Amino acid sequence: MTPVIWVGGVLVDATQPSVSAVDHGVTVGDGVFETCRVDDGAPFALTRHLARLRRSAEGLGLDAPDDGTIRRAVREVLAAAPDAGRLRITVTAGLGPLGSQRTPGEQTIVVAASEAGASRPARVVRAPWARNERSAVAGLKTTSYAENVVALRYASERGGDEAVLANTHGELCEGTGSNVFVERGGELLTPPLSSGCLAGITRELLLEWAADDGLAVREAEAGELGFEVLDDVLDGRAQLLITNSVRDAQAVTSLDGVDLEAGPVSLAAEQLFARRRAAQVDP
């Protein structure tokens, strides 16, 4: 399907210019965004995504985006895109200079919907670069995604669909667009937010729902998951699962080109998430 796009209060043609060439989101990546899964015209967990959008904006020093405006835009876009599977909400600082200094002004809000795309296996490659957990934008979902583009290209060139990164302490951190869980000892562990990883919505829900269901899924302690745990995965002593807003919870099928078996807790987590997501559109 052709993407349906809302900018500045109106639906616009995807092939036509609609954002200024000097928008600060274009020139220096001064913006934040969210991506939601869409099922039957309804965006999943929209309230949580909008809350994280506000947190990311605050972290960048941007004014809180107007919730009502965004929700209205979402309704208009999805009404025009009944077959959409993916929704993206982007907020930038608006018009600005060609340098990094921001000038006051009206924010740019873009809401776009498209098809979800074909489902992909979770083939993961270890990236040679590190996340900086002390970065000014650590844990924020900003439009400055060049590091992720480079890391994902690295993975793609090696037959992968996702790259996973350590932080500067050599701890397991996250993927380019996903949170990562390690299954070992009968439980699933995910790096703590202090590692520098994004506070993923799917990660958050899986932790909550697993606690409700009695499934052994928890946030690891700081330093508990070194990047070397991936060697245990290759040796068959541990398994991997990744989460994001389009994949949901998905067991990893290969690491660095080595085929992997899904662990029993990972499979149970996949089933749990699918069941709970189907039962509640905005948990």
Side-chain angles (χ1 to χ4, degrees):
M1 62 170 281
T2 301
V4 174
I5 302 169
W6 182 103
V7 183
V10 296
L11 296 176
V12 300
D13 190 297
T15 64
Q16 299 301 311
S18 53
V19 174
S20 171
V22 292
D23 189 287
H24 226 217
V26 174
T27 55
V28 297
D30 187 12
V32 295
F33 78 100
E34 288 291 322
T35 299
C36 303
R37 181 186 181 112
V38 179
D39 290 305
D40 299 323
F44 178 68
L46 181 60
T47 298
R48 292 184 189 240
H49 280 285
L50 292 181
R52 188 174 63 179
L53 187 75
R54 290 192 296 273
R55 294 195 300 271
S56 293
E58 179 181 1
L60 277 190
L62 295 172
D63 291 338
D66 184 73
D67 192 272
T69 298
I70 293 175
R71 286 183 179 273
R72 182 171 67 254
V74 168
R75 290 193 297 269
E76 292 179 13
V77 166
L78 293 182
D83 298 325
R86 178 194 295 256
L87 178 80
R88 174 166 166 141
I89 302 163
T90 305
V91 178
T92 81
L95 299 183
L98 297 182
S100 297
Q101 182 67 37
R102 183 187 296 156
T103 54
E106 184 179 358
Q107 293 178 340
T108 299
I109 300 176
V110 179
V111 177
S114 69
E115 60 189 3
S119 60
R120 295 172 295 159
R123 298 173 298 194
V124 169
V125 172
R126 285 180 284 190
W129 305 284
R131 282 282 196 253
N132 180 5
E133 71 284 355
R134 300 181 64 188
S135 164
V137 296
L140 305 182
K141 197 167 180 68
T142 78
T143 57
S144 302
Y145 244 50
E147 284 189 348
N148 294 324
V149 171
V150 171
L152 190 56
R153 180 182 177 183
Y154 177 89
S156 179
E157 291 172 344
R158 289 156 179 79
D161 306 281
E162 176 61 305
V164 66
L165 301 100
N167 65 14
T168 65
H169 290 294
E171 300 165 336
L172 183 64
C173 186
E174 64 180 350
T176 67
S178 64
N179 290 110
V180 60
F181 290 72
V182 175
E183 180 175 343
R184 68 179 185 189
E187 61 179 356
L188 272 176
L189 296 87
T190 191
L193 298 182
S194 61
S195 70
C197 69
L198 183 71
I201 302 300
T202 306
R203 172 190 184 276
E204 178 180 284
L205 285 170
L206 181 57
L207 287 167
E208 292 179 15
W209 289 345
D212 292 343
D213 212 54
L215 189 64
V217 182
R218 66 176 175 88
E219 186 177 85
E221 299 292 333
E224 188 176 1
L225 289 176
F227 203 57
E228 66 273 7
V229 73
L230 298 182
D231 292 332
D232 294 340
V233 173
L234 290 175
D235 290 342
R237 291 174 289 167
Q239 293 82 36
L240 282 180
L241 175 133
I242 59 174
T243 60
N244 79 6
S245 293
V246 176
R247 290 180 182 269
D248 292 344
Q250 188 176 20
V252 172
T253 59
S254 73
L255 174 63
D256 293 339
V258 177
D259 291 341
L260 305 176
E261 295 291 333
V265 186
S266 297
L267 292 174
E270 287 184 339
Q271 295 164 5
L272 169 64
F273 197 92
R275 184 177 76 250
R276 292 291 296 266
R277 182 177 61 78
Q280 191 174 4
V281 70
D282 198 17

